[in-house]
Amino acid sequence: FVAAVGAPLVPLRLGPADWVNAELFRPKEPAAPKTHDLVMVANWSPQKRHALLFKALRQVQRDLRVLLIGFPWADRTAADVRAEVAAFGNPRVHVDILEQVPQAELAGLVGACKAFVFLNRKEGDNKALVQAMFAHVPAIVYDRTVGGARSRINASTGILSSDEALAQNIEYMLDHLADFAPRAWATAHTGSENATRLLDAALRSAAVAQGRPCTESV
């Protein structure tokens, strides 16, 4: 591409999560067993609201395995999260905690879970949410979150939930996993391949508008 010097700025609706590699975050084989019911991928900041999840799980009347993947933040460590788990103690819920997981391993871990949980009140664009979708894992997202996460939730990808209805929506999703098709939606609407095509088209359009040649794609 020959840069169009002086061309006007062209806004594109692309965020960090639109550059997820769909080939890295592939779903598990249909017959592969799921290791966990729920997964959260978030640092240990209070803003991630792990405690809300633990509180909701006290109302869920079934055995559950939960995977938390994160890293220390704002003076909070995995020890603080474990203390919260103990404070909300539920003998029917087993929580595993992993830290500093490489991307290559993250894909397999998330794909082995049934549902992804996102509870932030405010965040620009959550990459882990889209990674889960490409791994064919539907999501439960806080219904009043401010940022990009809420715009990605629909009948194919998951459920928007209030804090009060979180336990109910967890049970509903675990009972209706077959109703969701998150990877199909993500493949059609986001990911690095779609983002590259969109960016390439915008650059070509801007160049043509300036009467300049396009010799290569991005």
Side-chain angles (χ1 to χ4, degrees):
F1 174 77
V2 178
V5 178
L9 294 176
V10 179
L12 296 179
R13 192 177 179 84
L14 291 174
D18 289 302
W19 296 97
V20 172
N21 185 339
E23 290 306 306
L24 177 60
F25 285 86
R26 297 191 62 82
K28 292 283 189 179
E29 293 295 326
K34 295 286 190 176
T35 60
H36 292 81
D37 297 287
L38 304 174
V39 61
M40 282 185 71
V41 180
N43 62 51
W44 308 135
S45 165
Q47 282 72 33
K48 303 300 182 179
R49 303 209 294 166
H50 293 87
L52 174 64
L53 174 63
F54 307 148
K55 180 180 179 181
L57 292 179
R58 293 179 67 179
Q59 304 171 47
V60 178
Q61 301 302 309
R62 65 178 76 189
D63 296 333
L64 292 174
R65 291 186 66 89
V66 178
L67 177 61
L68 306 178
I69 301 174
F71 52 92
W73 192 268
D75 297 324
R76 276 172 54 86
T77 68
D80 295 297
V81 178
R82 290 190 176 92
E84 288 180 346
V85 172
F88 287 103
N90 183 338
R92 301 191 66 177
V93 176
H94 178 83
V95 178
D96 291 313
I97 295 177
L98 298 177
E99 289 192 287
Q100 310 290 356
V101 175
Q103 285 285 298
E105 294 180 25
L106 180 63
L109 290 167
V110 172
C113 299
K114 296 177 182 178
F116 182 92
V117 181
F118 177 90
L119 301 175
N120 293 29
R121 288 192 173 95
K122 183 177 182 180
E123 184 168 324
D125 194 24
N126 188 266
K127 198 171 182 178
L129 173 63
V130 175
Q131 290 171 340
M133 291 177 182
F134 274 114
H136 199 58
V137 177
I140 299 172
V141 169
Y142 174 49
D143 65 350
R144 290 192 288 175
T145 188
V146 176
R150 189 168 54 177
S151 68
R152 299 183 187 275
I153 298 301
N154 52 60
S156 294
T157 61
I159 298 172
L160 291 173
S161 177
S162 66
D163 292 350
E164 296 76 16
L166 182 57
Q168 175 185 340
N169 282 319
I170 287 172
E171 293 199 273
Y172 178 87
M173 176 167 279
L174 293 177
D175 288 338
H176 297 85
L177 292 171
D179 295 346
F180 300 96
R183 182 173 174 88
W185 181 89
T187 300
H189 295 93
T190 186
S192 58
E193 289 190 10
N194 285 316
T196 299
R197 282 194 292 269
L198 181 61
L199 179 60
D200 185 69
L203 290 171
R204 286 178 175 276
S205 178
V208 169
Q210 293 289 309
R212 297 174 183 273
C214 281
T215 58
E216 296 182 17
S217 296
V218 296

